[in-house]
Amino acid sequence: MAVPGPDGRRARGDRRRRAILEATLRVVERDGVAGVSHRSVAREADVPPTSTTYYYATLDDLLIATLTWSADQMASSFRKVSLTPVAVARFIADAVGEHRGRTLAEYELYLLAARRPELRPAARRWISLMTEVIGPWDPVALRSLLAAVDGLLIQGLIADFPPMAEELEPVVSLLMLGG
Amino acid sequence: MAVPGPDGRRARGDRRRRAILEATLRVVERDGVAGVSHRSVAREADVPPTSTTYYYATLDDLLIATLTWSADQMASSFRKVSLTPVAVARFIADAVGEHRGRTLAEYELYLLAARRPELRPAARRWISLMTEVIGPWDPVALRSLLAAVDGLLIQGLIADFPPMAEELEPVVSLLMLGG
DNA sequence: CAACAACTTGAACGTCTGTTCCACTAGTCT
DNA sequence: AGACTAGTGGAACAGACGTTCAAGTTGTTG
C-alpha cells in the first residue's frame, strides 16, 4: 500500500493506547479516580510506567482521554434502550446493580468535569444523545426526566441495596407518561 | 464545678477540631477530595501536620467527619426553604451558582459514600430530611422530585453557565405540581 | 503539691508519586 | 542500504505523602 500505508508500529501503538485506557477505567472502577496514577495504570495494563507517560504525558491527559472514550461507549450502549418506562427502569437497575462499578466510575469522571471545563462536552454527551434520540418531547418534561434519571442513578449508588427495576418503574412511568 | 466540669483543654481541643473540619471543607471546595491530605489540611488550618493526625488518626476519619458535619449543615440550611416551586428553583440556582464550590464539595463527598458504606447515612441525610419535611406526599411523586433535584444540581455543576432560577422553575413546577 | 491527662510539636521513617533522561529495538521511507 | 522515527523500558530525580515517635507543655484532678 502506498499513500497513508498501514504502519505496524502505529497499529501496535494504538492497541497499547487502548489497553492503557481500558486499564485506567478498570482502576477507576476498582479504586476510584484517587487510585489512578501513571504507575498504578501501568501495573494494571502490565506495561512499564514510562509507557503510560509516553502515550499520555500527564495524568490529566490520561483522565480526560478515559472519560471521553468511556462516555462514547456508554452513549452507544444507550442507543439500544427502547424508550418505554419498563426498559428505562431496567436500564437504571442494571446500571446501579450489575454494572455498579462502571456506573460509579462514570460518575466520578462526570464530577471531575465540573472542575475541568475541557471534559464537559464528553460528560454531557449522554444528555445530548438522549435529547436527540427521544425526539419531539416537551422540553420541560424532557429536562425533568433526564435530571431524574441522573438522580436515580446517583441515589442508587449510595443505597445499601441497589433498587430493583420493579420499584423504579412507577417513578420512571410518572416521569415519562406524566402520571 | 465538680461532676463533668468545664475543661479548658477540651474546649480548645474542640475548637481546633472544628477548625480542622472547616479547613478540610475549604480544601475540598478548592482542590477536590483529591487535594485532601493531612498536610494540606494542616497548612489550610495553620496547624502542624501532627495536629490533624492527632484529631483524625487516618485520612478516612477526616473525610468521614467532614462529610457528616457538612451534611448536617446543609440539611439545616435546607429546612429554611419553603416548599414552593419558585423557592426550590431559587435554591437550586443558588447551589450551582453562588454556592457552587460548596455544592461541588458536597457531591464529591456524596460520591465518596458510594465507596464507603459508613458514610452513607450522612450522605442520605438530606434525602430523609426532605422526605420528613415534605410530609404526606405520594411516595412516587416524592421520589421523582428528589431524584430530579439531585440531577438538576449535578447537571448544573457541569454546565458552562449555571442555570438561572427562571429556567429551572418550570421544571420544578412540573415535578411538584404534576403539570 | 504531686499525679495525671489532654494536647502540642519537630523530626524522622519508608513509600509512592510525576516526570525526565537516555540508551535501545524495530518498523518505515527514500 | 541508510536515514529516520515510533515505540520501549530501566534508572533515577526530587518532592509529597501517611503515619509514628518521643519529648515537650499546660490545664485538671485528688
Side-chain angles (χ1 to χ4, degrees), chain B residues 78 81-97 130 145 149 152-153 163-174 176:
Chain B
F78 217 49
V81 180
S82 71
L83 290 173
T84 66
V86 171
V88 173
R90 169 92 270 145
F91 175 85
I92 296 173
D94 284 348
V96 298
M130 207 165 165
L145 173 64
V149 170
L152 288 174
L153 284 171
M164 287 176 305
E166 293 78 37
E167 44 180 319
L168 257 18
E169 198 261 327
V171 181
V172 178
S173 247
L174 174 64
M176 293 184 74

Side-chain angles (χ1 to χ4, degrees), chain A residues 47-62:
Chain A
V47 297
T50 37
S51 206
T52 53
T53 60
Y54 177 78
Y55 288 102
Y56 303 97
T58 73
L59 264 190
D60 267 21
D61 289 345
L62 183 55

Side-chain angles (χ1 to χ4, degrees), chain A residues 92 107 110 126-127 144-156, chain B residues 147-148 150-152 154-155 158:
Chain A
I92 296 173
Y107 269 94
Y110 201 63
W126 83 271
I127 299 183
S144 69
L145 173 64
L146 292 181
V149 170
D150 248 338
L152 287 173
L153 285 171
I154 204 170
Q155 288 175 15
Chain B
D150 247 339
L152 288 174
I154 205 169
Q155 288 176 14
I158 63 165

Side-chain angles (χ1 to χ4, degrees), chain B residues 57-124:
Chain B
T58 74
L59 263 190
D60 267 20
D61 289 345
L62 183 54
L63 285 172
I64 289 170
T66 303
L67 172 60
T68 308
W69 173 71
S70 166
D72 273 357
Q73 275 213 157
M74 183 161 164
S76 65
S77 97
F78 217 49
R79 287 190 175 278
K80 294 172 202 145
V81 180
S82 71
L83 290 173
T84 66
V86 171
V88 173
R90 169 92 270 145
F91 175 85
I92 296 173
D94 284 348
V96 298
E98 195 182 348
H99 306 127
R100 183 173 193 281
R102 177 60 190 268
T103 306
L104 194 38
E106 210 74 40
Y107 268 94
E108 294 209 351
L109 293 167
Y110 201 62
L111 212 47
L112 204 63
R115 294 196 186 273
R116 326 250 162 145
E118 66 267 41
L119 42 73
R120 283 181 196 164
R124 289 193 222 105

Side-chain angles (χ1 to χ4, degrees), chain A residues 78 83 124-139 142-143 145-146, chain B residues 155:
Chain A
F78 216 48
L83 290 172
R124 288 192 222 106
R125 177 153 317 189
W126 83 271
I127 299 183
S128 43
L129 174 81
M130 206 165 165
T131 307
E132 161 213 328
V133 160
I134 234 171
W137 265 45
D138 169 35
L142 176 60
R143 193 154 180 200
L145 173 64
L146 292 181
Chain B
Q155 288 176 14

